[in-house]
Amino acid sequence: QVQLVESGGGSVQSGGSLRLSCAASGYTYNQYCMGWFRQGLGKEREWVAYVNNPGNTNYADSVKGRFTASRDNAKNTLYLQMDSLKPEDTAMYYCARSSYTSCPTSSIYYKYWGQGTQVTVSS
């Protein structure tokens, strides 16, 4: 059974940093693209970043230059380093496994999701 478990969320002040982790189990981790999404209160879920198997990344414009996604295939773990955090980054953050080896940005192509970890950034 596929499981994704996020950790590392919390409350920080504007300009601070957090590192999210997503531990995966129940499948061959390195076969699939992994993504990060977020959903603010009253907002739609939005794509944040993805990492493919070779470790290539792509980011939403809103986080480019501030967030860094990475994966450790030996540990079956996905990471999201978030620096220079802003109040508008406040959201529940989810990791997700793509249904494909390729990396879509639409959530409809991600079959498995973690439970989410809350990130709150105060001004």
Side-chain angles (χ1 to χ4, degrees), residues 93-123:
Y93 282 72
Y94 300 89
C95 68
R97 197 205 83 176
S98 171
S99 298
Y100 312 99
T101 56
S102 60
C103 288
T105 59
S106 172
S107 62
I108 64 173
Y109 297 111
Y110 288 78
K111 182 176 182 179
Y112 298 100
W113 294 80
Q115 82 289 351
T117 186
Q118 178 67 38
V119 170
T120 302
V121 185
S122 58
S123 56

Side-chain angles (χ1 to χ4, degrees), residues 31-120:
Q31 287 188 348
Y32 297 94
C33 177
M34 298 294 295
W36 285 102
F37 291 79
R38 67 185 181 186
Q39 187 167 16
L41 193 63
K43 298 181 180 180
E44 292 190 356
R45 188 170 297 187
E46 63 173 347
W47 168 72
V48 174
Y50 64 62
V51 189
N52 67 11
N53 181 33
N56 299 316
T57 56
N58 196 13
Y59 302 92
D61 288 343
S62 58
V63 306
K64 199 171 292 184
R66 301 187 297 120
F67 290 12
T68 303
S70 61
R71 64 192 293 165
D72 185 335
N73 288 341
K75 296 183 178 180
N76 289 1
T77 302
L78 177 73
Y79 302 99
L80 185 67
Q81 177 67 42
M82 305 186 295
D83 298 319
S84 302
L85 282 162
K86 304 175 181 180
E88 51 264 44
D89 294 318
T90 295
M92 185 73 79
Y93 282 72
Y94 300 89
C95 68
R97 197 205 83 176
S98 171
S99 298
Y100 312 99
T101 56
S102 60
C103 288
T105 59
S106 172
S107 62
I108 64 173
Y109 297 111
Y110 288 78
K111 182 176 182 179
Y112 298 100
W113 294 80
Q115 82 289 351
T117 186
Q118 178 67 38
V119 170
T120 302

